[in-house]
Amino acid sequence: MTDIGTAWLLFAAQVATVVVLLALAYRPLGDFIAHTFTSAKDLRVERGFYRLIGVDSASAQSWPAYLRSILAVSAVGILLVYALQRTQQFLPYALGLPPTSEHLAFNTAISFVTNTNWQAYSPETTLGYTVQLTGLAVQNFVSAAVGLAVAVALIRGIAARGSGTLGNLWVDLTRGTFRILLPLALIAAIVLLAGGVVQNLAGFSEVSTLAGGTQILPGGPVASQEAIKLLGTNGGGFFNVNSAHPFENPSASTNLFQILLMLVIPVALTRTFGTMVGDRRQGYAVVAVMGILFVASAALMTWAELAAGGTAPQLAGGAMEGKDVRFGVVGSTLFASTSTATSTGAVNSMHDSYTAFGGGMAMLNMMLGEVAPGGVGSGVYGILVVAIIAVFVAGLMVGRTPEYLGKKIGPREIKLVSLYILTTPVLVLLGTALSFAIPPVRADVESTSIGNPGLHGFSEVLYAFTSAANNNGSAFAGLTADTPWFTTALGVAMLLGRLLPIVFVLALAGSLAAQERLPVTAGTLPTHRPQFVGLHLGTVLLVSALTYFPVLAMGPLAEGLS
């Protein structure tokens, strides 16, 4: 039991520790990422890889060519992961496990290629080591590198001076993987190993219990997959309970380290942005918006769980159902806030057991567009899209043509931004509505999938589509999602929720890259000052949060107030 005052002191200490560590990594990592994507030099191993795939690393692509390359990578990835699952019984280290069903293989392949890592199955009893390592772990690197590449492409578009090109996807993908993600994942895996995370190929081991019985314990290459799962904001766990499993997350110290891993690249990318556009103040302004949203979200979720009503929560010092005593309320809510404010989706507690307002806060984090600080790459390009809306609104208020960092924001740019903003809400709301509007689907959902009827059951379905369309991957675990409807519908939501925003972002980047940069004048809106930070923050809340207010009122808000 922890009293409320002590819990808030613990919350402040953990947040302060994370902020300090992020501040220490901010400049070196952000500048290193900028150097990686602006350097004209290729490493020897990279040159060999380019020759192998027939790519000229010196050639730059237009946005349609860049997009076609991403679609090709995604299509090959989906086919590969699907094929590995369907032929699992013939692969080495299959652990005697059968192939997955067509629906589940389809859903899982899309899930990992889109950086969602939604898991409608129990990993340790469904997939062998070959599928985990050559399929899922590879996509953890590739999908994160794709997000990183898209963010860099948008930054290049903003910084360009009439070139009309965005770089080369194959070069960006290679550098992002081999220069950034692989080295950082190796370091993270070593730290996790030292902290007690397992790494072996032991399969299933029978051990004797203290009571004199026996128990089957699964092993596996956990630390290596855990590192990129968090660093790449992927989120798919090696075990069914994800980072709540002691083999994945043994202690409070590894828990804090995992929170840091989820945040470090998305936060550092704001420094990369400022460096590449030639004005680091712009990066500071963006990270300020992200930081305010993140701290507010974590504090509100922690308050909701600490202030839970009822005899048991009050005696336990908070709502401890579904939370591990190793982490307590604070360690659980800080992890949950980080996981849903980024696109990670990993869990160290069961979100379905959170209070109505606590679970609703997790949903709202995703509904904000996961921009606080968001996923690897996706967080930065998402927050920059919102910045363009904020500039447009400011331009309307003062009667000037809006521009952002020397680029005019005209009708084409606003149309692309609008399509980006509307994509995810349409997928979330349409998927949720169809789950209840189609009679046969509704009957199956209510009889098979929903574990908690009523308002909370509605919230379970809403959370699932919110998570899928935003490529998060976390879930209200009371929902049984391994059904033909959910594996198919959520698979489509994940695919469209990933690729459509990328289409609009790259088209926007191409439009901006074709423009010459305008000189700064007395009438130019400063986008690095506190006033714009406030406008930017308000735009995030108004554009994203209010879109979902009616459906939130039908789920977590109604449940919390009932």
Side-chain angles (χ1 to χ4, degrees), residues 296-373:
S297 162
L300 287 171
M301 187 183 291
T302 302
W303 166 81
E305 298 305 295
L306 289 175
T311 303
Q314 290 174 3
L315 291 174
M320 280 298 295
E321 180 189 323
K323 300 178 181 67
D324 198 304
V325 293
R326 288 173 297 159
F327 313 129
V329 170
V330 171
S332 300
T333 56
L334 187 56
F335 193 103
S337 296
T338 304
S339 180
T340 52
T342 62
S343 65
T344 311
V347 297
N348 73 347
S349 56
M350 299 301 104
H351 295 183
D352 201 24
S353 293
Y354 276 43
T355 63
F357 292 141
M361 197 66 228
M363 258 192 273
L364 182 60
N365 284 339
M366 294 183 284
M367 291 171 173
L368 288 175
E370 295 176 330
V371 294

Side-chain angles (χ1 to χ4, degrees), residues 80-81 84 91 129-139:
L80 176 63
V81 177
L84 286 171
L91 300 176
Y129 296 159
T130 301
V131 177
Q132 290 266 22
L133 291 172
T134 62
L136 308 190
V138 168
Q139 289 307 315

Side-chain angles (χ1 to χ4, degrees), residues 13 58 116 154 183 215 230 273 327 333 384 415 423 490 492 538 557:
T116 310
L154 178 58
Q215 183 176 355
L230 299 159
F273 164 64
F327 313 129
T333 56
L384 291 180
K415 289 175 184 176
T423 297
L490 293 174
V492 172
L557 291 179

Side-chain angles (χ1 to χ4, degrees), residues 230-554:
L230 299 159
L231 193 66
T233 59
N234 295 283
F238 196 91
F239 299 107
N240 189 38
V241 292
N242 209 280
S243 286
H245 199 293
F247 288 177
E248 281 197 35
N249 191 9
S251 64
S253 59
T254 58
N255 191 63
L256 199 62
F257 181 65
Q258 293 192 9
I259 291 170
L260 177 67
L261 287 179
M262 288 187 273
L263 294 170
V264 65
I265 292 180
V267 169
L269 278 173
T270 61
R271 171 80 179 190
T272 303
F273 164 64
T275 300
M276 290 181 67
V277 299
D279 185 357
R280 292 194 173 109
R281 298 174 301 175
Q282 303 295 333
Y284 299 148
V286 170
V287 79
V289 175
M290 291 178 169
I292 292 169
L293 287 170
F294 174 77
V295 173
S297 162
L300 287 171
M301 187 183 291
T302 302
W303 166 81
E305 298 305 295
L306 289 175
T311 303
Q314 290 174 3
L315 291 174
M320 280 298 295
E321 180 189 323
K323 300 178 181 67
D324 198 304
V325 293
R326 288 173 297 159
F327 313 129
V329 170
V330 171
S332 300
T333 56
L334 187 56
F335 193 103
S337 296
T338 304
S339 180
T340 52
T342 62
S343 65
T344 311
V347 297
N348 73 347
S349 56
M350 299 301 104
H351 295 183
D352 201 24
S353 293
Y354 276 43
T355 63
F357 292 141
M361 197 66 228
M363 258 192 273
L364 182 60
N365 284 339
M366 294 183 284
M367 291 171 173
L368 288 175
E370 295 176 330
V371 294
V376 170
S378 60
V380 164
Y381 66 67
I383 201 76
L384 291 180
V385 166
V386 180
I388 289 173
I389 297 177
V391 166
F392 178 71
V393 171
L396 291 178
M397 290 191 293
V398 299
R400 288 183 57 87
T401 301
E403 57 184 70
Y404 185 56
L405 299 181
K407 298 299 178 77
K408 285 187 177 180
I409 308 302
R412 174 179 170 80
E413 289 75 25
I414 289 301
K415 289 175 184 176
L416 291 169
V417 167
S418 299
L419 289 170
Y420 178 97
I421 293 296
L422 290 172
T423 297
T424 306
V426 168
L427 293 172
V428 172
L429 300 177
L430 184 62
T432 304
L434 290 177
S435 297
F436 293 102
I438 303 174
V441 173
R442 176 173 180 168
D444 182 58
V445 168
E446 292 181 340
S447 64
T448 305
S449 296
I450 294 178
N452 301 281
L455 297 173
H456 194 75
F458 175 81
S459 294
E460 289 178 344
V461 176
L462 175 62
Y463 193 107
F465 281 98
T466 301
S467 178
N470 284 281
N471 300 135
N472 185 269
S474 62
F476 275 3
L479 183 75
T480 301
D482 187 13
T483 64
W485 165 252
F486 277 118
T487 52
T488 303
L490 293 174
V492 172
M494 287 186 280
L495 189 63
L496 296 180
R498 173 72 163 183
L499 295 181
L500 287 181
I502 286 177
V503 171
F504 302 136
V505 167
L506 291 179
L508 175 64
S511 179
L512 296 175
Q515 298 182 32
E516 293 288 346
R517 296 190 71 174
L518 301 174
V520 176
T521 66
T524 301
L525 174 68
T527 52
H528 62 276
R529 293 180 179 172
Q531 296 93 323
F532 185 77
V533 170
L535 178 62
H536 195 174
L537 186 64
T539 305
V540 172
L541 296 174
L542 289 173
V543 171
S544 302
L546 291 185
T547 304
Y548 293 100
F549 181 78
V551 75
L552 286 172
M554 297 169 61

Side-chain angles (χ1 to χ4, degrees), residues 1-14 306 317 330:
M1 174 179 175
T2 302
D3 64 78
I4 301 299
T6 303
W8 279 113
L9 286 174
L10 182 61
F11 173 82
Q14 293 200 21
L306 289 175
V330 171

Side-chain angles (χ1 to χ4, degrees), residues 205-244:
S205 303
E206 184 176 299
V207 298
S208 299
T209 66
L210 294 175
T214 59
Q215 183 176 355
I216 302 297
L217 293 181
V222 181
S224 56
Q225 188 156 320
E226 190 75 5
I228 189 58
K229 151 196 154 179
L230 299 159
L231 193 66
T233 59
N234 295 283
F238 196 91
F239 299 107
N240 189 38
V241 292
N242 209 280
S243 286

